[in-house]
Amino acid sequence: MNIFRLSGDLSHLAAIIILLLKIWKTRSCAISGKSQVLFALVFTTRYLDLLTSFISLYNTTMKVIYIGCAYATVYLIYAKFKATYDGNHDTFRVEFLVVPVGGLAFLVNHDFSPLEQILWTFSIYLESVAILPQLFMISKTGEAETITTHYLFFLGLYRALYLINWIWRFYFEGFFDMIAIVAGVVQTILYCDFFYLYVTKLKGKKLSLPA
């Protein structure tokens, strides 16, 4: 494992921990529950191989943490702190993401095998757009809590580091995965405007974003 992949994994983990701590400490869920449901679906479909294969202790541990934290976040939003969840602004139509992504996963994949390739490909495609409900919610309300922007920043950093990881692996290992790279590029592009605002306009406790 190269340093860029490890840094990407740690950035991803940092984003998840930041979000969970924010929800638990504030006892409020001023985030998109729909994005979190999509991320839970991403991890579930990607890591079903936990039931069939073992790669390493690190790999298994990270997969279990991602899945557990994803469902813990969904539980906090829709059950424990449901009264604080702003469903009126979390109105993105997720079926407009899930259905096309599902169709694309069937049409464009490495190998037509349900568990190892179609579901994995589905998770890669879905992860690239899973943050859209959150970004849509922020644009609709016109603001985001500082802690939420930190969460989004580390998610974006994770994707950017993984792109560098793919480049590294291509040059030093001869490994190239077009599906993962294209999906990663799409996801990183979605964060570009947010990155600019985060770096240049993050002041005080809130970040204003254009509607």
Side-chain angles (χ1 to χ4, degrees), residues 115-144:
L115 178 59
E116 295 184 3
Q117 286 302 325
I118 294 179
L119 289 180
W120 178 86
T121 304
F122 171 81
S123 76
I124 294 295
Y125 291 153
L126 184 60
E127 185 183 18
S128 70
V129 295
I131 200 63
L132 280 176
Q134 180 66 69
L135 298 179
F136 179 78
M137 184 177 180
I138 292 176
S139 68
K140 193 172 182 180
T141 59
E143 63 180 23

Side-chain angles (χ1 to χ4, degrees), residues 83-156:
T84 66
Y85 168 58
D86 186 8
N88 292 326
H89 287 113
D90 193 16
T91 57
F92 193 95
R93 300 285 297 277
V94 294
E95 61 269 27
F96 292 158
L97 299 178
V98 175
V99 174
V101 162
L104 186 61
F106 270 96
L107 296 174
V108 183
N109 54 68
H110 294 307
D111 180 28
F112 200 78
S113 55
L115 178 59
E116 295 184 3
Q117 286 302 325
I118 294 179
L119 289 180
W120 178 86
T121 304
F122 171 81
S123 76
I124 294 295
Y125 291 153
L126 184 60
E127 185 183 18
S128 70
V129 295
I131 200 63
L132 280 176
Q134 180 66 69
L135 298 179
F136 179 78
M137 184 177 180
I138 292 176
S139 68
K140 193 172 182 180
T141 59
E143 63 180 23
E145 294 182 2
T146 300
I147 196 70
T148 304
T149 66
H150 293 335
Y151 161 71
L152 292 174
F153 176 80
F154 278 103
L155 271 187

Side-chain angles (χ1 to χ4, degrees), residues 66-88:
Y66 288 151
I67 293 174
C69 288
Y71 281 97
T73 303
V74 171
Y75 167 75
L76 293 179
I77 295 172
Y78 288 103
K80 190 170 183 62
F81 303 126
K82 182 178 180 181
T84 66
Y85 168 58
D86 186 8
N88 292 326

Side-chain angles (χ1 to χ4, degrees), residues 25-91:
K25 286 185 176 181
T26 64
R27 297 293 195 270
S28 66
C29 302
I31 60 172
S32 170
K34 292 186 176 182
S35 271
Q36 298 308 312
V37 169
L38 291 180
F39 281 124
L41 182 58
V42 165
F43 296 138
T44 301
T45 53
R46 182 175 304 172
Y47 299 144
L48 285 175
D49 62 346
L50 280 170
L51 304 175
T52 60
S53 62
F54 176 81
I55 298 176
S56 68
L57 179 60
Y58 171 83
N59 183 275
T60 298
T61 300
M62 294 300 285
K63 288 177 179 179
V64 171
I65 290 175
Y66 288 151
I67 293 174
C69 288
Y71 281 97
T73 303
V74 171
Y75 167 75
L76 293 179
I77 295 172
Y78 288 103
K80 190 170 183 62
F81 303 126
K82 182 178 180 181
T84 66
Y85 168 58
D86 186 8
N88 292 326
H89 287 113
D90 193 16
T91 57

